[in-house]
Amino acid sequence: MPSASAENSATASAATAPPTSSGDAGVRVTVVRQVLVTRPEPGGEETAARLRALGLAPVLAPALVLEPRAFATPPAQAILITSRAAARALRPLPLPLLAVGEASAAAARDAGFADVTAAAGTAADLARLVAERLRPEAGPLLLAVGETYALDLAADLRARGFRVHRRIAYAATPALTLPEPCRTALACGTLEKILFHSPRSAACAITLLQAAGHAATLAGMEAFAISQRVADAAAAAIAPLTFRAVHVAGRPSEDALLALLSGGA
């Protein structure tokens, strides 16, 4: 059946548009496939735009609120980032920057960094890239991350002999309320799928939805996770309930996540 794209996920009409009945002759059937986007802004709206282009109707409910944090830059041979949020929070510096994946690398270039290299998408990939490209004796590393993030990466790098200055580039605070269009869609029972981009945002989104009384609704949804680690975090957060189905992207990128989603739309 053909699908109609929502013009704007921030409107109640997009969140509540019902399928047209096919029981009457001559009535055109329209199905709005709604997807709950839990990614923090500004990434959430970027994902929503891509979903609209696929003919899907995004409903935004950012699980976290991001705020940049200024910090004094210590001496370092290179900068490491594990997210686009970190890239956006940094001012450009004349240092090599190694990013966890292509999306964060692109954000770093957009922010003004010139010497940028991308790893294959995970913290372990970034640690391997650092070990291949850099030497501990050349100086410490500046690891710019969100609050509570990348502790395992810092430990991995230190185990490899690197000195690591871990600095908080942004704070990520759990959202306290669901946006009105999301509450409307939940009340109407029109949400079918939910996207998870990180372990923490998955856990926070599920906690927020459960607190709002929607545990059963969650259990009836299909979850799409950007990695197995994210899927595991979502499964732990919803337990003892489970999702109707859990799908994991073949590689940790939004391109792979949306390809997985569109294949099952």
Side-chain angles (χ1 to χ4, degrees):
M1 289 184 293
S3 61
S5 172
E7 287 297 320
N8 189 334
S9 65
T11 65
S13 60
T16 59
T20 302
S21 171
S22 58
D24 297 327
V27 175
R28 182 179 179 182
V29 176
T30 300
V31 176
V32 178
R33 299 186 179 97
Q34 292 194 293
V35 181
L36 187 57
V37 179
T38 63
R39 188 181 184 189
E41 295 295 4
E45 182 52 49
E46 294 170 2
T47 298
R50 298 188 67 183
L51 290 171
R52 293 185 196 107
L54 293 171
L56 303 172
V59 177
L60 292 168
L64 299 167
V65 179
L66 307 184
E67 283 188 34
R69 283 192 175 177
F71 61 87
T73 304
Q77 63 164 310
I79 301 170
L80 313 180
I81 61 170
T82 60
S83 69
R84 296 199 294 178
R88 290 169 174 141
L90 295 174
R91 60 182 177 83
L93 295 169
L95 292 171
L97 185 145
L98 281 65
V100 70
E102 290 294 346
S104 52
R109 295 185 188 102
D110 290 344
F113 286 90
D115 185 356
V116 179
T117 305
T122 69
D125 293 326
L126 180 54
R128 284 191 290 269
L129 180 64
V130 169
E132 291 169 3
R133 299 291 184 93
L134 305 175
R135 295 291 174 264
E137 60 271 18
L141 306 173
L142 170 57
L143 176 58
V145 296
E147 192 173 19
T148 77
Y149 290 96
L151 294 169
D152 52 348
L153 175 58
D156 187 346
L157 293 168
R158 288 171 181 139
R160 296 171 187 261
F162 288 94
R163 288 174 289 157
V164 179
H165 297 308
R166 182 175 170 277
R167 295 292 184 268
I168 306 304
Y170 64 95
T173 306
L176 299 178
T177 61
L178 294 168
E180 180 59 35
C182 177
R183 293 198 298 271
T184 301
L186 287 164
C188 292
T190 53
L191 285 167
E192 299 177 353
K193 306 174 193 296
I194 184 168
L195 298 185
F196 296 124
H197 283 73
S198 76
R200 188 168 179 226
S201 63
C204 289
I206 292 167
T207 297
L208 182 60
L209 287 160
Q210 289 172 331
H214 297 293
T217 302
L218 267 173
M221 297 172 70
E222 290 185 67
F224 290 77
I226 201 168
S227 71
Q228 187 60 54
R229 184 165 174 248
V230 174
D232 292 344
I238 198 175
L241 299 178
T242 59
F243 291 101
R244 180 158 58 93
V246 177
H247 309 275
V248 181
R251 61 184 188 283
S253 72
E254 187 168 77
D255 285 347
L257 179 63
L258 297 190
L260 178 68
L261 176 65
S262 62

